[in-house]
Structure formats: C-alpha cells, structure tokens
Amino acid sequence: MKVGIVGFAGSGKTTVFNTLTGLQAEVGYGSKDKANLGIIKVPDGRIDRLGELYEPKKLVFAEISFIDIAGPEGERAGSEQGLDARIVQHMREADALVHVLRAFESPLLSSPADPVRDLAGFEEELILTDLVQIEKRIERLKKERDSQRERDLMDRCHAHLTSELPLRTLEFTVEERTTVAGFRFLSLKPLLLLLNVDEDGIARGVPAATSELAAARSLDILAMCGRAEMDISQLTPDEQAEFLSDLGISEPARDRFVQAAYRLLNLISFLTAGPDECRAWPIPAGTTAHRAAGTIHTDIEKRFIKANVVRFEDLVELGSIPKAKEAGKLRIEGKEYVVQDGDVIEFQHNA
Ligand SMILES: Nc1nc2c(ncn2[C@@H]2O[C@H](COP(=O)(O)OP(=O)(O)O)[C@@H](O)[C@H]2O)c(=O)[nH]1
Ligand SMILES: [Mg+2]
C-alpha cells in the first residue's frame, strides 16, 4: 500500500516524510519532477511478543510505503489552473492521502499560517481535478451507445462535485464502487489530515476552527511538530528514548501516525508464528480466509483445505498452538471465514 503525502509547498511534507521513514530527503520545497519514496515497518507489539514465544529466525512486520509529492504553491491555490499534471499522476497512484497542513509561521512564505484556508483550498483543487476528468468522460459517453448506466453514475458524481463536495462523501453501491475505482479520483481517496505545528504549538493541540472543519468533513486529524519529530527520528534508538522522556512524550509521533494510516486504509493484520518467522500480514478488513491464504502464496489459496485459527491473546496466554487446542481455543475455519485482526493462522493445504 502506498500513502501519498500531499499539501501546499512549504507545509512540511518532506519534513514529515523524513520523520516517518527516517530518511534524509532535502527539505525546503523540492522539485515537482522528483517524488521521494520510502518504506516503513508498521510497529506491532504482537509480533515482538510472538518473537519471545517462538524465538524465530526472523520477525517480519507489515509495511507501508510513503511517497512525498511536491505540492502546488499556496499563492496559486484556487486559481483556475488546477493541479500540475505530474502532481496529479503521483496522487492517482496512492491508495490514500495525507494532507499536511501548515500551522507554523514560515520565513519561506509570505502568507500567515491558516490551516482552515489550506484545507478548504486543497480540497477544492482535488474536486476541480476530478470535475475536469468527469466532464471529459461524460463527453465521451455521449458518443457511445449502451452507456446510460455509467452516464447516470457520472452525472451524479458531477452534481456532487459541483456542489463542492468530495466524492468520498458520496454513497455508492458495490457495483458503482467498482466502476468509480477505475478512475482513481483524487477526492475519493481516504484522507488523513496532519496538522504540522511549531515547537511550542504541540501543547496547544488542534485549534478549534480546524478541528471543527475536519469533523464537519468526517476527517481524522493528528497534530505533530514535524521539525522536532524529524530531529528525533534521526537519532539512535537509545538517544530517541532519552530525548522523548526529557520532553515528556510517551511515543514518537511516527508510531501514532503509522497506526492512524493503517486504520485509514481499512487494513487489519493476521499473524503467522513458527520457528522460521513470526509475521504480520496486512489485508483489507473483510477478507476471507481463502483470499488471506493467497497473500502468503497463490498455491496455498488454490489448494486451500482449512485454516486453524487461534486468537493472539489466547496463544500468548496458553503458550503454544497444541496447548490452545487442548484448551478448546483453536478453531477450524473454512474458506468463507472472515479473518479478524489478531488471528494467528496456520493454513492447511495440499500444495
Ligand atoms: N517551525 C517549524 N518549521 C517547520 C516545521 N516543519 C517544517 N518546517 C520548515 O518549513 C520549511 C519547509 O519544509 P518542507 O518539509 O521542505 O516542506 P514541503 O515543501 O511541504 O516539503 C523548512 O524550512 C522546514 O524546516 C515545523 O514543524 N515547525
Ligand atoms: Mg518537499
């Protein structure tokens, strides 16, 4: 899964990207042609705990990739030009977007910090980009026969966007959702807001006007001081722990943020445990055991027999799968079982 970090130039996207990935991409704007890419492991205490139990050769965590996409200049926001094609292309490829909102005064920018303005302004850009795309599609559909069903859907999307509402707030049937997914509309992507505050702003939290606007749009918002967190992320783990306890922070924003991104993508993890590896496997919530087997190997999906499932908590309490079985905590599930977050699974197959 790929999460795009977006927002206006100078809002701190690259700073946040460096915080999340521990990389050291150049801050202070950045080129529109170059996007920064980094992959992070999703912290998961359950894998550490299974590691203690099984002492495997390796631990494998779920991963998320982040792409830091250069943003449009704030001064141009709301102009009729819309978003740069390269920015749009990068955004289309992302499964979800994180919008970095500047809430610190910047010597690089003439305008004062105004997260409400930037949130509304950026959303407008996404809506406009989708509107242009839909209008082109409608023009084409007019020339095609048998396109009434899609025409109706596109007309409904068009009306919604014209009312200045993002497509993520429009309801779709399962069939419609499949159709719209193919267009990779920007305003349909799950969106998380990240308020980038200055060093002394963290104690003040999210200002009321910003949290009200986020709530009105059903968007989650997290606050962090990108610059301080970036400095912390580039220290050694021992130094980080010391620095954080000095500041009275219990966990780096990075961990909070990564977990929020995971929720945003509607992902859960099932776990596998054994002497070779203990591993978290990310899957969309609602995935069946049959499909989940396929994330490990397509042969296991094809030759699926059954899934032995034990809850992580039960396994840890009882100490091993045979003991969990004795205690009646091991379930045998078939193909259609909907996998739950924290299920430890052994697939039986004849592959
Ligand atoms: N005071 C303060 N400055 C920050 C913060 N985050 C980023 N900056 C500064 O804002 C400028 C732009 O940051 P950058 O990450 O390059 O923004 P981008 O254009 O969105 O990628 C840099 O000079 C950063 O050091 C922050 O949390 N507080
Ligand atoms: Mg940048």
Side-chain angles (χ1 to χ4, degrees):
M1 325 98 251
K2 205 186 219 180
V3 176
I5 302 175
V6 301
F8 291 116
S11 57
K13 294 180 296 298
T14 303
T15 304
V16 167
F17 171 84
N18 286 344
T19 303
L20 295 173
T21 59
L23 295 173
Q24 302 185 5
E26 193 185 341
V27 297
Y29 287 53
S31 120
K32 281 202 184 79
D33 299 315
K34 204 177 127 279
N36 298 306
L37 241 167
I39 297 173
I40 59 105
K41 295 184 188 333
V42 179
D44 189 337
R46 297 173 301 190
I47 294 302
D48 298 311
R49 188 71 191 82
L50 289 175
E52 289 165 17
L53 206 59
Y54 283 83
E55 299 181 342
K57 294 199 194 84
K58 63 175 178 180
L59 300 181
V60 185
F61 294 84
E63 290 181 342
I64 297 183
S65 51
F66 286 100
I67 175 164
D68 166 27
I69 304 167
E73 307 282 332
E75 282 70 23
R76 269 187 42 205
S79 70
E80 297 302 308
Q81 285 163 294
L83 292 171
D84 185 276
R86 284 162 294 189
I87 297 178
V88 171
Q89 195 47 42
H90 283 305
M91 283 204 257
R92 286 220 193 290
E93 287 165 19
D95 301 302
L97 301 175
V98 173
H99 182 186
V100 178
L101 293 162
R102 178 169 68 95
F104 60 89
E105 298 310 328
S106 171
L108 298 173
L109 296 162
S110 53
S111 57
D114 186 346
V116 167
R117 171 200 63 205
D118 291 350
L119 169 53
F122 200 77
E123 190 94 305
E124 210 173 291
E125 297 280 354
L126 300 185
I127 289 173
L128 237 105
T129 306
D130 287 348
L131 206 51
V132 170
Q133 196 186 354
I134 284 190
E135 282 169 0
K136 281 195 194 132
R137 182 69 190 164
I138 290 176
E139 280 313 306
R140 170 166 300 184
L141 288 173
K142 279 182 185 164
K143 297 181 198 136
E144 286 178 17
R145 292 169 190 223
D146 297 330
S147 64
Q148 197 53 46
R149 195 187 283 250
E150 191 185 331
R151 250 316 276 289
D152 292 344
L153 176 60
M154 289 299 140
D155 284 344
R156 201 152 65 84
C157 290
H158 188 270
H160 195 74
L161 292 165
T162 312
S163 324
E164 293 178 18
L165 294 168
L167 293 176
R168 80 181 89 78
T169 62
L170 188 59
E171 296 212 6
F172 296 109
T173 64
V174 175
E175 197 197 338
E176 288 172 339
R177 193 159 279 284
T178 315
T179 308
V180 288
F183 293 95
R184 315 182 104 184
F185 292 124
L186 302 184
S187 75
L188 187 61
K189 293 184 189 289
L191 180 70
L192 175 69
L193 303 174
L194 200 157
L195 192 72
N196 192 12
V197 298
D198 59 23
E199 283 72 359
D200 53 354
I202 204 77
R204 287 197 297 273
V206 179
T210 310
S211 61
E212 278 161 23
L213 182 59
R217 298 183 179 215
S218 310
L219 296 171
D220 276 344
I221 185 162
L222 285 182
M224 74 155 142
C225 175
R227 197 155 65 175
E229 295 279 351
M230 178 174 110
D231 292 344
I232 293 171
S233 74
Q234 325 233 300
L235 300 172
T236 66
D238 283 351
E239 288 169 338
Q240 284 187 27
E242 193 183 321
F243 202 98
L244 287 169
S245 75
D246 283 353
L247 287 174
I249 301 174
S250 61
E251 63 174 344
R254 178 181 179 279
D255 292 4
R256 262 194 304 141
F257 177 83
V258 168
Q259 279 151 14
Y262 214 64
R263 279 198 304 278
L264 176 76
L265 290 163
N266 200 19
L267 292 173
I268 59 168
S269 294
F270 75 87
L271 315 171
T272 51
D276 284 334
E277 65 174 28
C278 291
R279 179 164 185 163
W281 300 84
I283 49 171
T287 301
T288 61
H290 192 209
R291 293 293 299 275
T295 62
I296 299 180
H297 202 288
T298 46
D299 285 347
I300 305 180
E301 180 172 353
K302 279 190 209 128
R303 300 168 181 273
F304 179 100
I305 298 172
K306 59 185 178 177
N308 296 331
V309 182
V310 55
R311 295 289 310 152
F312 163 78
E313 298 79 14
D314 292 335
L315 177 56
V316 165
E317 194 193 316
L318 296 161
S320 72
I321 297 220
K323 286 194 185 126
K325 190 173 179 184
E326 267 174 41
K329 296 288 188 188
L330 187 77
R331 285 175 284 128
I332 297 170
E333 303 283 2
K335 282 186 179 175
E336 297 309 316
Y337 169 69
V338 175
V339 174
Q340 304 297 308
D341 188 54
D343 280 348
V344 183
I345 306 185
E346 256 179 18
F347 290 103
Q348 291 198 14
H349 54 86
N350 55 11

